[in-house]
Amino acid sequence: MSFEPGTRLGRYEVESLIGAGGMGEVYLANDVQLERPVALKVLSAEIASDAQRLQRFLQEARTASRLRSEHAAHIYDVGSTPDGAHFIAMEYVEGKPLDKLIDNHPLEVSEVVRIGIQIAEALEEAHARGITHRDIKPANVIITPRGQAKVLDFGLAKLASANGDGELSSSSEIATQVRTNPGMVMGTVSYMSPEQALAERDIDHRTDIYSLGVVLYEMATGRVPFAGESAPQTLNRIVHELPEAMARFNYHVPPDLDVIVKKALRKKRDERYQSVHDMLVDLRSLKEELDYLAQQHRSVPPNLRTGASGGTSNFESDERATLMLNRDAASGAGAARTASLERARTVTAVEGQRTSEREQRRRGLSITLVVAALVAVACVGGGYALYRLAAARRPASSVPFASLQNMKLMRLPASALTTYASISPDGKYLVRVAYEAGNQSIRLRQVTTASEREIVPPTDDYFLGATFSPDGNFIYYPRGKRGQGWRELYRVSVLGGDPQKLIFDIDSPVTISPDGKRLAFKRHVPKNNEDNLLTANEDGSGEQPLVVRKMPVSIGTTAWSPDGRSIAYVLSGRDKEGYYVDIEEVNVSDKSTRKILSGRWREIRSIAWLSDSSGLVITARDRASLPSEPVQIWFVSYPEGQAQKVTNDVNAYASVSLTSDGRSILALQGNDSSQIWLAPGGDSARARQITSNGINGAPVWTPDGRIVYYSNASGNGDIWMMNPDGSASKQLTFDQNNDTMPSVSSDGRHIVFISNRSVGWGIWRMNADGSNAKELVRNVDRDSHPHWSPDSQWVFYNSRDDAGRLAYWKVSAEGGEPLKVADENISYSRLSPDGKLFLTLYRDHEPDSPLKIHLIPAEGGEPVRRLDAPQAIDQINWSPDGQAVDFVITQEGVSNIWRMPLSGGKPKQLTDWKTDFIGWYSWSRDGKQLAAARGTSTTEMVLIKDFR
């Protein structure tokens, strides 16, 4: 039913049609009694003819008419005409719809927060009156010429029921319809909460909180967090995937806004803000901070706001961190912000701890070196790190960086990928291992000018790291050739020249005593199945063992304490309780050892001492971290061993290094991505990407041609299944721990995979639909690569035995005692398609022995064939017909798959990709399709420096 201009509906005279939607048509009309414009919404015939629905609808409208928020479009009247037309008269709001204002471009952060507050204020009053909007989206928000936000259509969704009558809402109906009607217009779908997307019946006010989070995300980035090519695909992403960090699309997004939005977008309602009031408190606190920064920014000298060329400086993000931390520490003005945002971050468990921290700020206590500096790292790392202040503080007089106004931050962009970096003792230089076009080089960079030169030219050899001598005159680096099992230590002057070879057989970067006279390093001894921590003179002579650890316990990265008394080292292993990673130290004089850090951590990548030996900076994941969470920066006090998390963002931190005075920190930040590609017949020219969100890998095929794979798209590492075109993706595992490395039985009934959901990493079997998970083997190596025998009766895998020797095992598909197949120098192994042989990479104990491929009977014994392995071979497997060996070779930074016939002849390259590495690959059972997980790695160097 349409109305021409001049038509009267009660006391309202129609002027023009404004628009139409699912509820009916909207007209601009004139209230002839009060002489004011109104928006007249005429209900559709479908609603008007349904007496029960109409009555409920009118009840909601009458309730909503009591709303008085200045940011909600008011409802004036409800009525009907003699011919049966029902209408609602609402406030006519002049202005621009928010979706048109966004127009696929991010708004200013201050505008995002201001508009978000106004929407939240409207919702707060509505929720207090029992009204859930259920359709919060930019198209339902008008921005007036004065910049005020007005939320439309309150009262046009279901009134929240006190007794939970469970009637379907309009949004639930939409969710049901779009799953059966892929061509339906997207509209509201992108702003639905997960419970709406699942068509759940008990929708409450927390769905509005989620939708407001989506609106904030879109205002800040110019895009919605979840979007698919169809409405069902969008709904699936809303339910299963995590949003990408906002700062990836808008560098200016502050960390606190990221916190607020992430909490609003939690999948589970109980983990979101439980009231819009709590969200409003955080938004208002953030607005206070931004207003304060805007005021302070005007007082900052121009040379700190702009670079030499007049462009934006690298210091703007640290300016925000510095000003905010100064304000909070000096005046306590950020107390409300701290109390509220600490809840969102789940940093502090009880309100008393928050109160204590606020009181500490009021007393003007200072911040430790590591926390102050690394807080800054968190703020500069892509603009979205979440900073925290540590509870433990040290006297300001002993702490550089105690005055945060003197702290400056720089990101150090560099050509080529940086795989390792460290800063010189005096802070003037950094050395980095650069990876470009398949070659590595070592480059020395002057920090202030960014000028860089090679001190070790590009080579297809590889470097384990690069370390400055304490006097800054030399750089030590281990160097190895691809395909060899050993490396050598070299020393080169920072001025260049011929490198000097010092030590044969070294398996880690060196750490150097404070006086520069002794080196410490790790050496793995395969013949004895052990890791050694040794020291040697600066010229490589006089080796002395300090620590010996038998496998499966291994020694990781090392750091010599500034007082010269001890060496800290990472220790990882596996015992009856599972895997663990801790930090120990050894006394250099008497070789006694003690634990610095315990707690059975998941991963520790790097360690560095503070200059006064009062603690260590580490990059790590603790036991409480979820498997999908990236490695972060921590501070560990010494000798107490108390750990405090400093950063909490989406990037992984590979390493940190400090200057000798403790006034500069260099951090290396990395990020990996991986997606699955499908190549018909292995033809990379016809390959296409079939996954798009999160990190995806480890693809394997089912007998009926579907792909089972690993993905963290749900926010956790799980096993998924999809069609070969990427459609119909289905999550099979839902445990909060990590599930990976799937393999499908030949009969298609079962999937085995690796999981750390029990004691250590174990091999689990489940039905092909994900049901009835059962642990087959407990406490194996993480990279054990389980796979099935052709008859689906056995599962074969690689793992160390109790003596720490690498071995090949099999276990019944029903469970039971595993049986060792072989253990002499066995590494990665795979059973042939006919189940008669297994192939494995083999190397003699002698360090200069060549790498071989051995073919061994499935029941064990002597090899029936020995093949020379190509240099840098990786990921060996059988060809689908069992007549050749497939493997990956990476050249000039690009991975491709090769094939070597068992009958002899040269290896042949199968794929011809020009970019990316290959994480895993798998052929379909008929050999006609290749699935490959391909990805990239990126790194960024970040420098934090105290300019006092």
Side-chain angles (χ1 to χ4, degrees):
M1 183 181 297
S2 298
F3 299 94
E4 296 297 325
T7 304
R8 289 283 293 268
L9 280 74
R11 72 191 205 195
Y12 306 105
E13 183 177 295
V14 173
E15 293 189 359
S16 62
L17 178 68
I18 297 176
M23 304 299 294
E25 295 177 326
V26 183
Y27 294 88
L28 172 62
N30 180 47
D31 183 339
V32 295
Q33 291 184 8
L34 299 179
E35 296 183 350
R36 64 180 177 184
V38 297
L40 206 64
K41 177 160 285 192
V42 181
L43 304 186
S44 67
E46 178 186 359
I47 295 176
S49 62
D50 186 334
Q52 184 179 5
R53 188 175 180 186
L54 176 62
Q55 182 60 34
R56 188 176 72 242
F57 181 86
L58 294 176
Q59 179 187 356
E60 295 173 18
R62 292 188 184 102
T63 303
S65 69
R66 295 195 293 270
L67 292 179
R68 292 295 179 263
S69 171
E70 64 175 321
H71 300 299
H74 298 158
I75 293 178
Y76 297 144
D77 189 16
V78 293
S80 62
T81 64
D83 56 358
H86 292 266
F87 61 83
I88 298 177
M90 298 178 293
E91 176 186 5
Y92 174 67
V93 182
E94 294 186 16
K96 191 172 188 178
L98 181 56
D99 59 335
K100 303 300 183 183
L101 185 65
I102 297 172
D103 193 26
N104 299 318
H105 295 90
L107 306 182
E108 293 290 333
V109 171
S110 59
E111 282 292 281
V112 173
V113 175
R114 186 181 62 81
I115 293 172
I117 288 173
Q118 295 177 6
I119 298 173
E121 287 175 345
L123 289 174
E124 183 179 34
E125 183 183 347
H127 292 174
R129 296 183 179 274
I131 300 171
T132 301
H133 191 288
R134 306 167 78 86
D135 196 18
I136 292 295
K137 57 185 179 182
N140 277 339
V141 179
I142 299 293
I143 307 301
T144 71
R146 297 178 63 184
Q148 296 296 303
K150 287 274 192 176
V151 182
L152 308 181
D153 286 357
F154 274 109
L156 305 188
K158 180 186 170 188
L159 182 68
S161 174
N163 59 8
D165 58 15
E167 295 177 4
L168 281 175
S169 71
S170 59
S171 55
S172 292
E173 292 168 354
I174 291 172
T176 302
Q177 292 172 27
V178 295
R179 294 183 185 278
T180 57
N181 184 5
M184 187 175 183
V185 177
M186 296 292 290
T188 298
V189 176
S190 295
Y191 305 92
M192 282 187 178
S193 64
E195 56 268 26
Q196 287 177 304
L198 292 169
E200 294 180 1
R201 301 169 68 88
D202 57 339
I203 304 300
D204 62 24
H205 65 278
R206 290 172 292 184
T207 196
D208 287 347
I209 294 173
Y210 182 94
S211 298
L212 177 53
V214 177
V215 174
L216 288 169
Y217 188 105
E218 185 175 8
M219 285 194 290
T221 66
R223 54 192 291 164
V224 292
F226 306 108
E229 296 177 358
S230 64
Q233 189 179 68
T234 299
L235 292 176
N236 182 67
R237 290 178 176 174
I238 289 171
V239 173
H240 295 296
E241 296 179 3
L242 289 181
E244 293 188 74
M246 292 191 296
R248 292 190 175 182
F249 311 111
N250 181 2
Y251 174 77
H252 299 290
V253 172
D256 290 350
L257 180 59
D258 191 60
V259 174
I260 293 168
V261 173
K262 282 182 178 177
K263 186 165 185 179
L265 294 181
R266 298 277 176 85
K267 305 295 184 187
K268 297 180 180 179
R269 282 178 282 183
D270 291 343
E271 296 178 358
R272 281 178 220 152
Y273 287 100
Q274 294 304 289
S275 73
V276 75
H277 175 76
D278 289 342
M279 188 176 183
L280 189 54
V281 169
D282 286 351
L283 286 169
R284 286 170 175 163
S285 297
L286 178 55
K287 183 178 183 298
E288 290 178 5
E289 295 179 4
L290 295 174
D291 291 345
Y292 177 86
L293 286 176
Q295 178 183 2
Q296 292 297 313
H297 184 81
R298 290 190 291 270
S299 66
V300 174
N303 63 312
L304 295 184
R305 294 201 301 265
T306 58
S309 63
T312 301
S313 165
N314 287 330
F315 298 117
E316 287 191 357
S317 60
D318 67 294
E319 181 186 326
R320 177 179 188 276
T322 299
L323 292 173
M324 285 314 309
L325 292 174
N326 276 342
R327 188 198 70 172
D328 287 354
S331 67
R337 161 195 164 276
T338 301
S340 182
L341 286 180
E342 289 293 285
R343 289 197 299 273
R345 298 183 184 120
T346 64
V347 172
T348 308
V350 296
E351 184 63 32
Q353 287 176 301
R354 298 190 195 105
T355 303
S356 173
E357 182 169 304
R358 291 197 298 268
E359 291 303 315
Q360 285 180 339
R361 284 196 182 121
R362 290 189 180 102
R363 291 193 298 269
L365 296 181
S366 60
I367 302 169
T368 62
L369 157 68
V370 63
V371 173
L374 292 177
V375 158
V377 177
C379 293
V380 77
Y384 45 79
L386 310 181
Y387 56 80
R388 317 196 299 186
L389 302 183
R393 315 285 178 110
R394 296 183 184 276
S397 60
S398 66
V399 180
F401 291 89
S403 177
L404 290 175
Q405 64 184 359
N406 296 308
M407 187 175 67
K408 298 296 179 286
L409 297 86
M410 287 189 294
R411 286 176 296 131
L412 306 176
S415 61
L417 182 71
T418 301
T419 62
Y420 187 93
S422 63
I423 195 164
S424 63
D426 61 9
K428 295 180 179 179
Y429 298 90
L430 65 85
V431 62
R432 69 185 186 103
V433 176
Y435 183 81
E436 188 172 30
N439 292 324
Q440 290 191 7
S441 62
I442 297 180
R443 304 180 184 181
L444 186 71
R445 175 176 179 146
Q446 190 174 33
V447 172
T448 56
T449 65
S451 61
E452 189 173 82
R453 62 184 179 86
E454 291 175 347
I455 56 173
V456 179
T459 173
D460 60 0
D461 292 354
Y462 63 93
F463 306 100
L464 287 185
T467 308
F468 281 99
S469 60
D471 59 12
N473 292 328
F474 294 95
I475 293 171
Y476 292 80
Y477 60 95
R479 177 172 180 164
K481 293 186 178 297
R482 302 184 187 277
Q484 286 184 340
W486 47 271
R487 288 145 292 275
E488 296 171 311
L489 180 67
Y490 287 81
R491 179 175 63 185
V492 65
S493 169
V494 294
L495 299 178
D498 293 331
Q500 178 185 4
K501 186 187 301 183
L502 302 179
I503 297 174
F504 175 80
D505 196 8
I506 179 173
D507 295 308
S508 73
V510 298
T511 182
I512 308 174
S513 62
D515 61 9
K517 295 181 178 180
R518 297 286 289 176
L519 315 173
F521 58 94
K522 166 191 167 180
R523 175 182 293 155
H524 178 67
V525 185
K527 187 178 295 184
N528 300 334
N529 200 33
E530 65 188 25
D531 273 359
N532 293 343
L533 176 60
L534 303 100
T535 62
N537 294 326
E538 59 182 320
D539 61 359
S541 64
E543 285 188 9
Q544 293 183 0
L546 281 183
V547 180
V548 177
R549 292 288 184 265
K550 289 285 187 180
M551 304 298 289
V553 179
S554 63
I555 296 172
T557 185
T558 60
W560 209 309
S561 65
D563 59 16
R565 297 177 180 177
S566 66
I567 299 171
Y569 52 95
V570 175
L571 199 68
S572 59
R574 195 177 77 230
D575 56 23
K576 63 181 181 180
E577 298 180 25
Y579 64 91
Y580 62 87
V581 185
D582 297 321
I583 298 177
E584 283 189 353
E585 67 172 336
V586 56
N587 186 293
V588 176
S589 298
D590 61 17
K591 300 184 182 181
S592 61
T593 62
R594 64 176 290 270
K595 276 193 177 181
I596 296 177
L597 177 68
S598 56
R600 306 181 70 87
W601 289 54
R602 293 185 184 271
E603 182 177 3
I604 301 176
R605 290 190 181 179
S606 68
I607 58 178
W609 285 92
L610 297 183
S611 58
D612 61 357
S613 299
S614 61
L616 298 100
V617 179
I618 69 173
T619 54
R621 290 191 301 136
D622 67 347
R623 181 59 63 171
S625 299
L626 293 176
S628 57
E629 293 181 28
V631 170
Q632 296 296 305
I633 299 176
W634 296 70
F635 167 67
V636 179
S637 63
Y638 181 86
E640 302 89 354
Q642 297 297 315
Q644 300 167 14
K645 195 174 187 180
V646 177
T647 63
N648 187 24
D649 59 64
V650 298
N651 273 353
Y653 289 85
S655 64
V656 290
S657 63
L658 287 77
T659 54
S660 58
D661 63 2
R663 295 189 182 276
S664 294
I665 296 176
L666 181 69
L668 187 62
Q669 196 180 61
N671 188 42
D672 294 337
S673 64
S674 177
Q675 301 299 331
I676 297 175
W677 291 68
L678 189 74
D683 183 1
S684 51
R686 293 188 292 153
R688 61 189 182 89
Q689 184 177 323
I690 58 175
T691 61
S692 60
N693 288 287
I695 296 177
N696 301 277
V700 293
W701 293 82
T702 65
D704 62 357
R706 289 179 292 173
I707 297 174
V708 177
Y709 63 105
Y710 163 89
S711 177
N712 69 351
S714 66
N716 194 61
D718 286 298
I719 306 300
W720 291 61
M721 182 185 291
M722 64 180 169
N723 292 332
D725 62 357
S727 65
S729 59
K730 178 184 178 183
Q731 186 175 344
L732 301 180
T733 63
F734 295 87
D735 189 87
Q736 67 176 355
N737 290 288
N738 211 22
D739 301 325
T740 186
M741 294 184 187
S743 178
V744 184
S745 60
S746 298
D747 59 16
R749 295 176 54 204
H750 294 104
I751 299 171
V752 292
F753 59 95
I754 294 293
S755 177
N756 61 343
R757 62 178 68 182
S758 179
V759 175
W761 291 94
I763 297 177
W764 289 69
R765 188 207 70 196
M766 64 181 176
N767 295 340
D769 63 0
S771 62
N772 297 326
K774 174 185 178 181
E775 189 175 30
L776 299 182
V777 187
R778 176 168 292 190
N779 215 1
V780 299
D781 291 354
R782 178 175 183 174
D783 56 350
S784 55
H785 292 281
H787 51 284
W788 290 88
S789 61
D791 59 8
S792 302
Q793 300 301 307
W794 295 91
V795 176
F796 286 75
Y797 65 96
N798 301 272
S799 187
R800 294 184 182 273
D801 60 18
D802 292 338
R805 295 187 299 265
L806 285 169
Y808 193 47
W809 305 77
K810 67 177 183 179
V811 64
S812 169
E814 300 302 320
E817 189 68 24
L819 303 174
K820 185 185 293 186
V821 178
D823 67 1
E824 181 62 25
N825 293 354
I826 293 296
S827 58
Y828 172 75
S829 307
R830 297 292 285 189
L831 192 67
S832 61
D834 61 11
K836 295 181 180 179
L837 298 171
F838 69 89
L839 56 80
T840 186
L841 288 173
Y842 177 91
R843 191 194 301 276
D844 288 335
H845 288 312
E846 297 304 321
D848 57 349
S849 61
L851 191 65
K852 297 280 188 179
I853 298 174
H854 283 187
L855 276 62
I856 302 173
E859 62 275 9
E862 289 297 313
V864 298
R865 189 171 304 176
R866 296 176 173 86
L867 304 173
D868 292 331
Q871 187 181 25
I873 186 174
D874 190 19
Q875 301 180 51
I876 61 170
N877 209 336
W878 294 88
S879 62
D881 61 8
Q883 300 303 306
V885 178
D886 289 353
F887 48 85
V888 170
I889 287 182
T890 301
Q891 297 174 313
E892 297 185 357
V894 179
S895 295
N896 277 292
I897 299 171
W898 293 63
R899 177 168 293 171
M900 183 169 64
L902 298 180
S903 58
K906 293 184 178 180
K908 177 184 177 182
Q909 184 174 339
L910 300 183
T911 63
D912 190 26
W913 276 301
K914 305 299 184 183
T915 62
D916 298 351
F917 62 81
I918 295 177
W920 189 248
Y921 66 97
S922 177
W923 290 96
S924 59
R925 304 292 172 112
D926 59 9
K928 295 181 179 180
Q929 300 275 4
L930 173 69
R934 304 173 59 238
T936 60
S937 292
T938 59
T939 58
E940 182 178 36
M941 294 181 292
V942 180
L943 181 67
I944 310 100
K945 191 169 183 179
D946 187 345
F947 282 90
R948 288 185 303 163

